[in-house]
Amino acid sequence: MGAHLVRRYLGDASVEPDPLRMPTFPPEYGFPERKERAMVATPQEMNDAQLPLRQRDYCAHYLIRLLKCRRDSFPNFLACKQERHDWDYCEHLDYVMRMKEFERERRLLQRKKRREERAARAARGQGPGEVAPEVAL
Amino acid sequence: MKMFASFTMLTIMILIYPIVMTLSSNYNIFNFPKHVKTTIKSAFLFSLIPTFMFIDKGYEAIITTWHWTIFQTLDISISLKMDFFSMMFVPVALFVTWSIMEFSMWYMHSDPNVDRFFKYLLLFLITMIILVTANNLFQLFIGWEGVGIMSFLLIGWWYGRPDANTAALQAILYNRIGDIGFVLSMAWFLTNSNSWELQQLFITDHNNLIPLLGLTLAATGKSAQFGLHPWLPSAMEGPTPVSTLLHSSTMVVAGIFLLIRFYPMLENNQTILTTIMCLGAITTLFTAICALTQNDIKKIIAFSTSSQLGLMMVTIGINQPHLAFLHICTHAFFKAMLFMCSGSIIHNLNDEQDIRKMGGLFKTLPFTSSALTIGSLALTGTPFLTGFYSKDLIIESANTSYTNAWALLITLIATSLTATYSTRIIFFALMGQPRFSPLSPINENNPLLNNAIKRLLIGSIFAGFIITNNMDPMNIQQMTMPWYLKLAALMVTVSGFMIAMELNNLTYFLKIKSTSQQMKFSNLLGYFPSTIHRLIPNTNLMTSHKSASKLMDLIWLEKSTPKLLALLQLMMSTLTSNQSGLIKVYFMTFLLSMLISLPFLI
């Protein structure tokens, strides 16, 4: 939970992504065939189901299925376990995707920092493996 | 559809009927308490029908009946908002009240004014339902003030006792301070939205902190958050049924309910959410610390209520109003049961409330002790009892949300303290050897007591499961988290239990020594009542005394004009006069000048 916070405050803050300003790199960088993620539930379906705004995400179609199952199986309130699991699993996969995006952002920032340092060393005339003139004997 | 509105109105009319009929002379009910209990039981059964219609079809309604008045463009009428919150709360409140009425028939049976007691309780219930079903702020305010007044009347039930009168006044005063915030919000909404209807308030995008701060102040006063909290433990001066109904399940959650009603406005304003969360976190920790060293069983449970209210505020602060509402409903069951068990213990030990004088009640009161134990387990969030479904979800949501880490840590510490003081009650009241007089007639053979506790016991075990499975998912629950976050609540609770049992066992081998600073802090409630209850009146009285006697009488009326003028005159005259007052010298001068001028005249 707190690993990203600890790394941000105690470690190097320049290579940690800021969750409020994500993503910094273009999404197709490194993934040439990446398509934009599409929602399965249409706006009309979500309006008909009267979903609140927070629940209109990429897993809304499972939620609509769950609500319909619950309405159909009243008064058996223990009925819709499979639909509930489907929705929860979709949200879980969504969470995993968000974590992967975060980690991708972090590694890209680290790579960017390494490249900038290498460019700065080359600009100073220092080849790979050599030390700066003021350090050499 | 007609059934929905009819049964809602029927529920409310059934409750009003006994109150109204007491005004007529030919209303001769032989056993008024039993009549009231039956009224509430039937109201509960009738209120289940609209609730089931809601669960089945998602049927919500706004029932506008009597149009009261129009002030130019402001329209006030009686309108009931039957949505998720009111539909779920009303049956829960009626069920808990039904059990409490049955319990009071046993507890208060020797009271000469028991009819009036039941009338007050019923009136309280009606005002609470008015508050919960209100669609406009005016009606909410009517219910708000109503529950405050009934709280005053019921806390001061034994009015011959000065402690009870002080406690009732304290409740009124602290609630009044909260009402300032409520009226401020009402005034702001009136001038900026020209309406008090909830629908019209939520449509406009206000994004202003003033009304939300007013509502937070109102909730602080009514729900005993830190700063305006001392009235709640003092309110234990009232009879146990009053503590059970008002100060654990229904009245004190009115402030939280208000904030839950306004969640569309709160969720857009991060500042107010953080304020609410930090206030709730401070409350829950502070009151949990105070509960650790109290010796009155009712006060411990009162502080426990205050701590849970702080937890509900924290939940609102992490933008989970539906979880806070779920906690309100589940908390009502086990907290009411805890109070009823303590009432049973108190009555059976001949009105002994000090836990240091109880003990060994497992064998003598088996049913009450089982209920107390199960209620405490439910309170601490034992897996799959009622409290688990709300409390554990709250802690999980707080752990996985982008939120204030300090408030989260405080809440976790308070959760472990919950287990600690619950263990303390069980250890001192139920375990060990009896420390009370052996001649107390202890029995639990009255069906009024047993049935009431039994009903709430079944509720404490199953209500969380039933309510959670019948609620549609209102919020996307974060299910994925590391194992240490998932088990955080359970681990701190278990560690609280173990530390408490260890410390309690050590009390068998104690030597007397002077109390530590921490003990004094906790026992004197953080010195909060001692300072605030003396500082503010003292300042006021000294200011008025000084201003009346020194400022007005002495300085303004005496010194500033008359004496100052006299002084100035004196000073000026002595400075500017040539007179030295030496009469003999004057006479000599006169005589000398006469003698000198006399030869010239003659």
Side-chain angles (χ1 to χ4, degrees):
Chain A
M1 164 180 104
H4 58 284
L5 294 169
V6 172
R7 282 197 299 252
R8 242 181 127 183
Y9 287 113
L10 300 182
D12 189 0
S14 60
V15 294
E16 293 298 324
D18 186 358
L20 299 173
R21 271 183 286 273
M22 284 255 290
T24 332
F25 296 90
E28 312 83 37
Y29 187 51
F31 298 113
E33 288 137 18
R34 192 174 183 179
K35 294 188 289 292
E36 189 172 332
R37 197 173 169 195
M39 278 182 70
V40 177
T42 60
Q44 182 58 40
E45 281 170 12
M46 290 195 286
N47 276 344
D48 290 338
Q50 294 176 343
L51 292 184
L53 196 58
R54 303 181 120 230
Q55 288 179 327
R56 299 190 186 202
D57 62 354
Y58 293 104
C59 297
H61 53 291
Y62 286 116
L63 179 60
I64 294 175
R65 235 175 270 171
L66 169 66
L67 291 176
K68 186 170 191 312
C69 168
R70 283 179 49 84
R71 190 186 67 184
D72 292 339
S73 59
F74 184 83
N76 181 9
F77 58 84
L78 298 170
C80 302
K81 298 280 197 237
Q82 182 59 37
E83 282 81 2
R84 182 88 203 216
H85 168 75
D86 289 338
W87 183 56
D88 285 339
Y89 188 61
C90 175
E91 292 286 348
H92 167 71
L93 292 176
D94 191 76
Y95 176 81
V96 170
M97 234 183 285
R98 285 200 302 268
M99 290 295 121
K100 284 186 177 172
E101 285 296 319
F102 187 86
E103 186 62 24
R104 170 177 174 254
E105 178 81 19
R106 194 171 83 90
R107 291 185 192 183
L108 283 174
L109 282 172
Q110 282 176 335
R111 187 167 88 152
K112 184 165 129 187
K113 185 171 179 194
R114 278 198 306 267
R115 287 184 172 178
E116 281 166 5
E117 279 177 2
R118 205 180 311 149
R121 276 205 305 269
R124 280 203 300 264
Q126 189 183 317
E130 293 177 11
V131 295
E134 57 266 14
V135 183
L137 292 162
Chain B
M1 183 200 50
K2 285 186 205 138
M3 254 176 73
F4 189 88
S6 319
F7 273 98
T8 312
M9 299 304 288
L10 182 63
T11 313
I12 300 178
M13 287 301 145
I14 283 179
L15 295 171
I16 294 180
Y17 170 76
I19 306 286
V20 163
M21 291 305 287
T22 52
L23 296 169
S24 81
S25 58
N26 51 2
Y27 186 60
N28 284 325
I29 300 290
F30 178 63
N31 191 350
F32 188 71
K34 186 155 183 236
H35 176 73
V36 167
K37 184 200 84 168
T38 321
T39 308
I40 296 185
K41 175 175 169 186
S42 40
F44 164 67
L45 292 171
F46 284 131
S47 73
L48 280 179
I49 295 174
T51 306
F52 285 148
M53 285 171 77
F54 169 74
I55 295 173
D56 178 20
K57 299 212 175 1
Y59 199 94
E60 297 181 359
I62 297 175
I63 306 170
T64 307
T65 55
W66 184 55
H67 179 220
W68 189 56
T69 182
I70 270 191
F71 286 119
Q72 287 161 350
T73 48
L74 175 67
D75 206 346
I76 306 181
S77 46
I78 296 182
S79 60
L80 309 173
K81 182 170 161 70
M82 309 308 292
D83 71 334
F84 167 70
F85 297 126
S86 38
M87 301 260 62
M88 301 297 284
F89 185 78
V90 166
V92 166
L94 284 172
F95 183 78
V96 171
T97 311
W98 171 25
S99 304
I100 292 170
M101 292 296 181
E102 206 169 339
F103 170 77
S104 332
M105 283 166 68
W106 170 75
Y107 194 84
M108 305 291 288
H109 79 280
S110 60
D111 195 303
N113 295 321
V114 66
D115 292 354
R116 187 153 54 98
F117 186 76
F118 273 79
K119 186 168 153 187
Y120 283 177
L121 284 181
L122 189 56
L123 207 51
F124 164 79
L125 182 67
I126 293 169
T127 45
M128 188 70 205
I129 292 186
I130 292 176
L131 196 158
V132 162
T133 53
N135 193 29
N136 52 14
L137 277 179
F138 187 70
Q139 201 173 323
L140 222 161
F141 194 58
I142 294 175
W144 187 270
E145 292 296 300
V147 299
I149 295 289
M150 296 324 294
S151 171
F152 169 76
L153 289 172
L154 284 167
I155 295 174
W157 178 253
W158 291 314
Y159 51 79
R161 212 180 127 81
D163 281 342
N165 289 333
T166 318
L169 260 182
Q170 227 179 337
I172 285 282
L173 288 173
Y174 277 113
N175 278 343
R176 224 358 149 210
I177 301 177
D179 291 348
I180 297 174
F182 199 107
V183 173
L184 168 72
S185 304
M186 280 173 80
W188 194 93
F189 284 131
L190 188 58
T191 48
N192 281 287
S193 296
N194 193 30
S195 170
W196 279 330
E197 301 255 331
L198 296 181
Q199 285 74 31
Q200 298 195 26
L201 297 177
F202 296 152
I203 287 178
T204 334
D205 180 26
H206 288 293
N207 204 17
N208 196 322
L209 207 51
I210 298 174
L212 303 176
L213 278 176
L215 293 174
T216 312
L217 180 62
T220 310
K222 188 66 89 180
S223 293
Q225 300 299 306
F226 182 74
L228 298 177
H229 65 279
W231 70 269
L232 189 55
S234 306
M236 298 298 117
E237 294 291 334
T240 306
V242 169
S243 310
T244 315
L245 182 55
L246 272 74
H247 306 119
S248 63
S249 326
T250 30
M251 179 187 141
V252 290
V253 298
I256 308 283
F257 196 85
L258 177 71
L259 289 179
I260 291 177
R261 267 272 187 251
F262 275 84
Y263 82 86
M265 291 186 81
L266 293 178
E267 67 182 0
N268 294 326
N269 196 329
Q270 189 53 45
T271 317
I272 197 75
L273 284 179
T274 314
T275 313
I276 289 176
M277 184 157 122
C278 293
L279 179 65
I282 295 178
T283 306
T284 181
L285 184 66
F286 182 76
T287 48
I289 290 177
C290 291
L292 290 177
T293 52
Q294 297 300 310
N295 292 317
D296 182 352
I297 190 173
K298 282 176 68 174
K299 282 216 165 47
I300 302 180
I301 308 181
F303 277 114
S304 170
T305 306
S306 208
S307 187
Q308 295 301 306
L309 291 170
L311 184 69
M312 291 174 207
M313 285 288 258
V314 167
T315 320
I316 297 176
I318 56 174
N319 203 5
Q320 299 277 4
H322 302 277
L323 273 184
F325 179 73
L326 182 65
H327 197 54
I328 287 180
C329 293
T330 53
H331 173 258
F333 285 101
F334 49 77
K335 197 43 73 69
M337 191 173 72
L338 282 175
F339 265 113
M340 278 161 58
C341 294
S342 74
S344 160
I345 294 176
I346 290 170
H347 241 34
N348 275 314
L349 296 182
N350 204 18
D351 294 333
E352 180 56 64
Q353 289 188 315
D354 197 331
I355 55 175
R356 296 172 292 193
K357 293 193 195 155
M358 300 175 188
L361 290 172
F362 261 139
K363 292 286 189 331
T364 50
L365 290 172
F367 179 61
T368 306
S369 354
S370 324
L372 194 71
T373 316
I374 294 181
S376 300
L377 286 176
L379 168 64
T380 55
T382 308
F384 310 119
L385 291 183
T386 303
F388 170 76
Y389 288 98
S390 49
K391 201 164 175 196
D392 205 70
L393 282 181
I394 293 173
I395 307 269
E396 268 177 34
S397 305
N399 278 338
T400 53
S401 57
Y402 182 63
T403 182
N404 195 326
W406 168 82
L408 174 61
L409 198 59
I410 297 285
T411 314
L412 283 173
I413 296 176
T415 312
S416 88
L417 291 182
T418 309
T420 314
Y421 58 68
S422 301
T423 319
R424 186 161 187 261
I425 297 179
I426 293 177
F427 180 78
F428 276 94
L430 305 179
M431 292 165 66
Q433 296 298 319
R435 293 182 290 276
F436 50 87
S437 150
L439 294 174
S440 322
I442 300 183
N443 52 38
E444 325 181 272
N445 50 17
N446 196 325
L448 291 170
L449 174 69
N450 283 345
N451 287 339
I453 298 187
K454 232 180 267 181
R455 221 173 287 127
L456 287 183
L457 189 61
I458 297 181
S460 295
I461 301 176
F462 293 115
F465 179 70
I466 295 176
I467 297 179
T468 318
N469 280 318
N470 280 317
M471 265 171 68
D472 282 338
M474 299 285 167
N475 237 335
I476 300 177
Q477 194 65 31
Q478 180 62 267
M479 303 284 245
T480 312
M481 65 195 88
W483 67 268
Y484 48 84
L485 287 189
K486 189 86 181 167
L487 296 178
L490 194 59
M491 288 194 294
V492 297
T493 306
V494 167
S495 65
F497 270 134
M498 293 192 328
I499 293 178
M501 273 320 288
E502 189 60 39
L503 290 171
N504 282 328
N505 276 326
L506 286 178
T507 57
Y508 285 131
F509 309 108
L510 277 180
K511 292 196 250 274
I512 303 258
K513 57 178 185 185
S514 61
T515 49
S516 59
Q517 281 300 338
Q518 293 84 1
M519 165 73 170
K520 280 188 219 158
F521 179 85
S522 177
N523 204 4
L524 290 174
L525 315 185
Y527 312 116
F528 189 95
S530 328
T531 5
I532 297 291
H533 292 173
R534 292 172 200 181
L535 192 70
I536 295 179
N538 194 29
T539 321
N540 283 335
L541 287 172
M542 284 308 281
T543 315
S544 46
H545 170 237
K546 290 258 161 42
S547 65
S549 63
K550 292 255 165 62
L551 190 65
M552 284 297 292
D553 286 346
L554 194 61
I555 296 181
W556 191 247
L557 293 176
E558 200 178 306
K559 278 194 179 156
S560 71
T561 321
K563 284 205 174 147
L564 186 67
L565 280 176
L567 191 71
L568 284 173
Q569 294 280 359
L570 215 57
M571 208 164 61
M572 281 193 291
S573 58
T574 47
L575 269 177
T576 53
S577 73
N578 299 323
Q579 304 283 344
S580 52
L582 304 165
I583 302 288
K584 286 186 190 164
V585 176
Y586 295 161
F587 271 127
M588 280 303 295
T589 322
F590 179 63
L591 202 61
L592 209 62
S593 38
M594 280 297 288
L595 286 172
I596 292 173
S597 61
L598 213 69
F600 295 103
L601 289 173
I602 296 173

